């Protein structure tokens, strides 16, 4: 994917092809890995990271929810991120952090060790699997969102994404771009990697935290929207309410506002709608540095 770059593994930059684990590693055979992804954006004085501190806080929270221990401090991780960005010459793209158990395991369920850490840099041209130049199509998946009494859904754990894999696979096989899930009580949850938003009568609504990932992109939309005079409501959304929305869009790290033009068999002909367009313009201005109202969201990487 990015073979010319080097990867930061446990404090050392190594060639991309050397960033491997054994097939019997605990991370692979038991799914014991967590991760974070955030954007890198160009500025005249050098690249900046989008809400890096929040992403690192969520990584640390994931370890606590899962009873894991990181081997590196927040400051050591920040230094590793900057080193990886400088080595890659990255001005725009993404950083992915992987924390995992690399030791080989056959019967061991709970390792008595600290997590290994890898930091990867991806350029802006990384394949995201979606055409972001036009509204997408979305369906309601046959798969439900994992219940938080089964696993902590707020942990960004690789094993949780088997659910996401099944949701996206279901959507593609049915001829849609993405699948959106309901929770086990039948309320709207989220997509494979996407948070869900709807607009009705000018009000922006999104499912509440608790049964979904605490998405940082989602939080950014919620915090930025009032600056445009847009009312935001975080409350349970029924399927009937969602299907009657005036506008629908999804949000994730690579795309802060991605409008939905077809929802199941319903076409939203004016997608993106007026609220979606305003929010997309605002987020683009924030990310490009044209709007300095939210500059505390960015951390220098130079």
């Amino acid at each position: 994917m990015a073979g010319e770059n080097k990867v930061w593994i446990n404090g050392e930059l190594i060639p991309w092809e050397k960033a491997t684990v054994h097939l019997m590693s605990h991370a692979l055979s038991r799914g014991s890995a967590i991760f974070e992804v955030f954007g890198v954006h160009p500025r005249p004085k050098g690249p900046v990271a989008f809400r890096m501190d929040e992403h690192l806080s969520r990584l640390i929270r994931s370890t606590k929810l899962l009873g894991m221990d990181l081997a590196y401090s927040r400051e050591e991780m920040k230094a590793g991120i900057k080193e990886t960005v400088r080595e890659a010459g990255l001005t725009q793209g993404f950083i992915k952090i992987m924390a995992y158990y690399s030791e080989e395991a056959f019967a061991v369920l709970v390792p008595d060790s600290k997590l290994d850490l890898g930091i990867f840099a991806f350029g802006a041209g990384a394949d995201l699997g979606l055409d972001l130049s036009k509204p997408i199509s979305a369906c309601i998946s046959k798969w439900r969102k994992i219940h938080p009494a089964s696993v902590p859904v707020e942990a960004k754990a690789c094993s949780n994404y088997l659910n996401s894999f099944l949701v996206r696979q279901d959507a593609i096989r049915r001829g849609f771009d993405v699948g959106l899930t309901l929770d086990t009580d039948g309320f709207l949850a989220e997509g494979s990697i996407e948070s869900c938003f709807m607009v009705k009568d000018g009000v922006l609504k999104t499912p509440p935290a608790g049964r979904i990932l605490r998405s940082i992109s989602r939080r950014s939309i919620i915090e930025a929207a009032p600056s445009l005079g847009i009312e935001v409501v975080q409350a349970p959304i029924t399927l009937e309410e969602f299907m009657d929305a005036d506008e629908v869009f999804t949000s994730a790290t690579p795309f802060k506002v991605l409008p939905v033009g077809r929802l199941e068999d319903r076409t939203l002909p004016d997608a993106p709608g007026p609220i979606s367009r305003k929010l997309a313009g605002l987020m683009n201005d924030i990310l490009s540095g044209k709007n300095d109202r939210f500059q505390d969201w960015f951390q220098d990487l130079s």
Side-chain angles (χ1 to χ4, degrees):
M1 295 179 68
E4 294 182 0
N5 290 345
K6 288 188 176 180
V7 182
W8 192 96
I9 300 290
N10 294 333
E12 180 183 1
L13 285 169
I14 66 173
W16 182 274
E17 64 273 12
K18 299 289 186 181
T20 60
V21 295
H22 195 277
L23 282 173
M24 283 301 298
S25 68
H26 200 282
L28 184 59
S29 64
R30 297 297 188 185
S32 55
I34 58 176
F35 70 99
E36 283 293 331
V37 180
F38 57 85
V40 175
H41 303 274
R43 292 290 189 274
K45 294 183 179 180
V48 294
F50 182 74
R51 307 197 82 159
M52 177 173 66
D53 283 330
E54 289 95 327
H55 281 278
L56 292 178
S57 292
R58 190 171 63 182
L59 182 76
I60 294 167
R61 175 168 167 75
S62 291
T63 65
K64 296 186 184 305
L65 287 169
L66 297 169
M68 297 173 168
D69 291 313
L70 286 167
Y72 296 90
S73 69
R74 180 189 293 264
E75 292 307 313
E76 287 171 324
M77 288 190 286
K78 284 184 180 181
I81 291 165
K82 290 183 178 182
E83 188 176 3
T84 305
V85 167
R86 287 194 297 268
E87 175 66 25
L90 188 69
T91 57
Q92 185 169 9
F94 306 96
I95 289 293
K96 183 166 187 175
I97 305 172
M98 295 287 300
Y100 55 96
Y101 291 119
S102 64
E103 62 199 73
E104 298 173 32
F106 173 63
V108 176
L109 283 177
V110 183
D112 183 22
S113 60
K114 292 188 175 183
L115 294 162
D116 292 272
L117 193 77
I119 302 173
F120 301 79
F122 297 88
D127 183 13
L128 304 174
L130 289 172
D131 182 355
L132 307 184
S133 67
K134 59 183 181 181
I136 61 171
S137 60
C139 65
I140 304 301
S141 180
K142 67 179 181 181
W143 300 102
R144 294 294 178 103
K145 179 67 182 179
I146 303 168
H147 193 282
S150 299
V151 295
V153 297
E154 293 184 13
K156 202 165 176 66
C158 294
S159 55
N160 288 357
Y161 282 78
L162 179 58
N163 180 243
S164 301
F165 165 79
L166 291 171
V167 170
R168 181 65 67 86
Q169 182 187 68
D170 176 44
I172 292 172
R173 288 177 175 175
R174 291 170 53 194
F176 293 88
D177 295 315
V178 301
L180 308 178
T181 62
L182 304 178
D183 64 26
T184 51
D185 288 331
F187 292 101
L188 183 69
E190 57 190 346
S192 295
I193 63 168
E194 310 90 0
S195 297
C196 303
F197 289 85
M198 62 167 282
V199 178
K200 186 67 178 181
D201 298 328
V203 176
L204 182 64
K205 192 170 182 179
T206 188
R211 291 203 170 190
I212 58 175
L213 180 75
R214 289 184 181 269
S215 164
I216 293 165
S217 296
R218 169 184 172 277
R219 189 200 313 169
S220 301
I221 295 289
I222 292 169
E223 292 175 356
S227 71
L228 296 175
I230 298 171
E231 180 183 354
V232 183
V233 174
Q234 300 180 64
I237 299 173
T238 65
L239 179 57
E240 292 74 18
E241 181 183 7
F242 186 60
M243 295 302 294
D244 190 47
D246 298 329
E247 303 175 40
V248 173
F249 67 86
T250 64
S251 182
T253 292
F255 43 86
K256 296 300 183 275
V257 178
L258 185 56
V260 174
R262 180 165 65 101
L263 181 60
E264 287 285 349
D265 59 358
R266 181 189 171 204
T267 299
L268 288 77
D270 298 325
I275 299 295
S276 301
R277 284 197 300 273
K278 289 179 181 179
L279 285 169
L282 173 61
M283 294 308 297
N284 286 337
D285 284 348
I286 291 171
L287 294 175
S288 64
K290 296 177 182 177
N291 185 321
D292 60 5
R293 183 170 180 175
F294 300 94
Q295 282 310 299
D296 59 336
W297 287 358
F298 298 90
Q299 289 82 45
D300 177 55
L301 292 177
S302 59

